[in-house]
Amino acid sequence: MSDSPTRRTVIQGAASLGALTWAGRGLAAPVRRTRPPNIVVIMSDEHDAGVMGCMGDSVVRTPHLDKLAARGILFGSCYTPSPVCGPARLAFTLGRYSSRDRIWSNHSIPRSDTLPSLARQLQTVGYRTLLCGKQHYMPGRRYGFKDLGKNYNHYEKQGWVMRRDPDDESINHELGKKRFKDFQVSKESGIYNHDEPITRRASRFIEHQTTHDSPYLLFVGFKAPHFPLIAPRCEYRKVQGKVKMPKIPKGLLDSQPLNYHHLRRAFGVVDVDPATVRLGRELYTALVGWMDHQVGEVIKAVDSSYQRDNTVIIYLSDHGENKGDHGLWWKNCMYDHAARIPLIMRWPDRWKGGQFRKAPCSSLDVVQTILELAGADAPGDWDGDSLLPWMDDKDHDWKNLAVSEYYAHNVCSGFSMIRKGPYKYVYHTEIDSRHGAEKELY
């Protein structure tokens, strides 16, 4: 329906009043546009939020992410819905906690490919929704996304989840040896072979968009800095000998919940040689630096495009990486190294750069934020809340809450985390009459 003269007058008056309100509070007024913004979501894989220069890491080299934060808003306590690839990415896709759809492991399968999804909700308001890179989908399922060229989402899923018997004290030494064998300095890696073409493909798409094209959501999925931890020599030299070893106080490992003992045994990371720990941490830091260049190329494409002033950039990861901290490797737990994720959002026409938000939030809140930016509605049973009011006003009464869940491989019971304000509570469910619930409070 077209606006009547009276309705247009009311809208214009409201917009003017809104601008005065923002100005009176010393804030930049949101820019009113005739069309919603393009949205570029860059999701890395297994990036510990603390391993960025803008988060205080003085060793890692992340100039592009640091610049993105300097021109946008950096979030210090964003959490994954689940610290494992498949569930985290499907939660982001479907807008709901893993438990709502029983997506517990990398092999879990949503009950349908036609469920409401982020892509489909944006399509209802005229968005093109494109997938470029990893999203851990199985063949034939895209949940409303259209592949931008060849993608590497062919992860066959059987629906099963591996459990360990609570009394099983066996150690999978072979798995540990296999993964540690891939700690290398090399110019060859499957990570490079995946991510570099994704960078080029995404950049070309962005650069060729005109102001006449309809708005788009472009999801760019990188594999780095996920293992295997193989880094190019040029990046490794920058950090070699500079990365600190993890601090593990006496008695810490013995005091951990039973699930974390099982993670250590199942992954074969018991009593890891300190030289291996050091090399792995250096390679991981170097690989983050390599990934930063890929992110930088995508940002450069946005800044060189016709629609640069009306394009939102969102950088985040699916989950983190332990890197030997707390005696653990990979993810799969609720320590901040694994469950906390980086989050940076930039739209200079709306948000002043160099801002920081400390309170907890979740990538499901990012989903709701994307919907609001696009002017799309979320299904009533979706989780999360839009971050926009808090981003527009740092004094907004944000909920200050994040939840994460895990019931995937190499544990014997499920566990959940709630982060509220400065506190984190983790609950490990009862296994049987001999193995009761365990609780952690930080």
Side-chain angles (χ1 to χ4, degrees), residues 154-369:
H154 303 296
Y155 196 93
E156 294 288 353
K157 299 173 184 281
Q158 290 81 36
W160 49 262
V161 178
M162 295 182 293
R163 295 283 176 270
R164 281 178 64 94
D165 184 283
D167 297 319
D168 183 359
E169 296 186 359
S170 64
I171 300 172
N172 190 347
H173 291 289
E174 291 307 310
L175 178 56
K177 291 177 182 178
K178 179 181 178 181
R179 290 193 175 178
F180 291 144
K181 186 178 179 182
D182 284 332
F183 285 11
Q184 301 175 26
V185 177
S186 175
K187 61 181 180 181
E188 300 291 337
S189 169
I191 299 291
Y192 313 157
N193 295 340
H194 175 275
D195 287 2
E196 289 175 345
I198 295 305
T199 299
R200 293 192 294 269
R201 194 173 297 133
S203 298
R204 282 198 301 268
F205 171 83
I206 293 168
E207 291 166 350
H208 285 84
Q209 301 309 296
T210 73
T211 54
H212 301 291
D213 295 319
S214 58
Y216 63 83
L217 167 68
L218 173 61
F219 186 99
V220 184
F222 290 127
K223 283 189 175 181
H226 192 284
F227 63 85
L229 299 185
I230 300 173
R233 187 167 300 280
C234 60
E235 294 295 334
Y236 180 68
R237 285 173 174 167
K238 297 175 184 177
V239 303
Q240 186 178 10
K242 300 177 182 178
V243 181
K244 294 181 179 179
M245 292 286 281
K247 295 180 180 180
I248 303 178
K250 185 178 180 180
L252 171 66
L253 302 189
D254 291 337
S255 70
Q256 288 177 327
L258 179 61
N259 276 322
Y260 292 176
H261 289 282
H262 279 284
L263 285 172
R264 194 174 296 109
R265 295 167 185 156
F267 284 119
V269 294
V270 176
D271 298 325
V272 182
D273 178 54
T276 300
V277 175
R278 183 179 300 280
L279 175 62
R281 291 170 70 85
E282 291 173 344
L283 289 167
Y284 179 83
T285 303
L287 190 53
V288 171
W290 178 87
M291 178 202 68
D292 180 77
H293 290 289
Q294 308 305 311
V295 174
E297 288 299 306
V298 178
I299 296 172
K300 179 181 176 182
V302 172
D303 290 341
S304 301
S305 70
Y306 287 108
Q307 300 193 43
R308 61 184 179 276
D309 295 330
N310 199 32
T311 300
V312 178
I313 298 177
I314 300 173
Y315 173 76
L316 74 166
S317 193
D318 52 358
H319 51 74
E321 157 69 67
N322 286 298
K323 317 179 302 301
D325 287 291
H326 302 97
L328 294 167
W329 286 84
W330 329 128
K331 48 271 186 183
N332 315 96
C333 70
M334 294 303 172
Y335 290 124
D336 267 16
H337 295 289
R340 190 177 63 150
I341 58 175
L343 175 61
I344 307 171
M345 288 199 256
R346 190 199 86 176
W347 191 14
D349 279 3
R350 179 160 183 166
W351 305 305
K352 180 182 177 181
Q355 297 189 62
F356 183 71
R357 299 290 185 272
K358 182 179 180 180
C361 63
S362 163
S363 61
L364 290 179
D365 299 319
V366 178
V367 173
Q368 293 281 357
T369 304

Side-chain angles (χ1 to χ4, degrees), residues 10 25 35 70-71 74 92 101 109-110 120 122 133 168 196 227 268 275 293 326 337 396:
V10 171
R25 292 159 65 190
R35 53 172 283 160
R71 297 183 60 193
L74 172 66
F92 190 86
D101 294 299
I109 306 170
R120 291 190 174 108
L122 263 63
D168 183 359
E196 289 175 345
F227 63 85
H293 290 289
H326 302 97
H337 295 289
H396 172 74

